Amino acid sequence: MPKVGMEPIRRRSLVEAAISAIHARGSLDITIRDIALRAGVSQGLAHHYFGSKDALIVSAMRYLLTEYGKQVRREMKKAGTPRERISAIIKASLGREQFKPETVSVWLVFYVHAQVSDEAHALLSVYSRRLGSNLVYNLRPLVGDQAQSVAEGVASLIDGLYIRKALGSLNKDESAERLVEDYVQKQIEGRG
């Protein structure tokens, strides 16, 4: 007889095991069996909870996006003005929490996976739209009707600098956060 209350614990264990397996392999060249072994559960149980490897991979990304959302909300609580909220988004997006090796591996693999998986693509689109709408909302009082354009620039810098920092190709003397902050400040001053 199954233990009551174990499903959420096992699901989370499988998601964490998927993240670990992706990091260890550096790709999606993993199996449900690999993930189940890491989680200490049977392959059948992994299939029972998720149905497929793709569903488990998408759940792993959803987990990381949820953690990212929590980080954004924590930073936003400290902010009082639109400009401070923009800085909070930048800090949450490019802060230390986002650069754990496992997190980086899953993000990089997920960007590639979104090209072939409709569900992964939809999830990535949700992230992108939410980032954009948060930026536009907070930029509007600062740059007026240029908010959409500036938000696109900020989001592009966040995503691009994330990848460069994750791959170690960002100049060691440069701070990804500072580069985005400088861009935002120049956009505000140029339209003020």
Side-chain angles (χ1 to χ4, degrees):
M1 185 166 178
K3 293 181 181 178
V4 177
M6 287 302 291
E7 182 175 349
I9 295 166
R10 287 185 178 139
R11 280 182 174 275
R12 182 172 174 138
S13 177
L14 283 161
V15 165
E16 290 171 351
I19 290 168
S20 174
I22 292 168
H23 173 64
R25 188 64 63 113
S27 73
L28 291 178
D29 188 24
I30 54 175
T31 65
I32 286 278
R33 183 177 183 276
D34 297 332
I35 296 166
L37 284 172
R38 282 180 185 271
V41 300
S42 72
Q43 185 175 341
L45 196 58
H47 277 289
H48 171 73
Y49 286 143
F50 292 97
S52 69
K53 180 177 94 170
D54 191 57
L56 181 50
I57 299 305
V58 169
S59 291
M61 195 61 222
R62 191 172 285 120
Y63 171 80
L64 289 180
L65 284 169
T66 299
E67 293 302 307
Y68 166 72
K70 288 177 186 175
Q71 186 66 28
V72 170
R73 286 188 294 280
R74 275 192 296 273
E75 293 299 329
M76 292 284 255
K77 283 182 181 178
K78 302 173 195 172
T81 66
R83 181 64 180 92
E84 289 171 349
R85 287 191 291 275
I86 293 165
S87 292
I89 293 166
I90 294 167
K91 183 175 182 180
S93 299
L94 296 171
R96 186 179 9 222
E97 285 296 311
Q98 297 306 315
F99 289 95
K100 294 177 183 171
E102 293 83 6
T103 301
V104 169
S105 296
V106 175
W107 268 105
L108 294 178
V109 167
F110 190 69
Y111 274 113
V112 174
H113 187 57
Q115 302 304 303
V116 296
S117 165
D118 290 340
E119 194 172 0
H121 187 270
L123 193 55
L124 192 56
S125 294
V126 168
Y127 154 75
S128 182
R129 284 192 310 270
R130 189 169 293 149
L131 175 62
S133 67
N134 279 330
L135 289 168
V136 168
Y137 177 80
N138 288 293
L139 282 163
R140 192 166 283 122
L142 303 169
V143 298
D145 57 355
Q146 295 298 313
Q148 183 67 44
S149 174
V150 175
E152 282 294 322
V154 173
S156 295
L157 281 168
I158 287 171
D159 288 344
L161 288 168
Y162 180 86
I163 290 169
R164 289 189 65 198
K165 185 174 177 179
L167 296 175
S169 62
L170 187 63
N171 183 328
K172 299 293 182 202
D173 296 331
E174 292 292 348
S175 159
E177 282 182 58
R178 192 180 78 240
L179 289 169
V180 181
E181 289 287 356
D182 288 350
Y183 171 80
V184 169
Q185 198 56 41
K186 285 177 183 160
Q187 297 305 308
I188 292 169
E189 291 169 0
R191 288 174 173 83

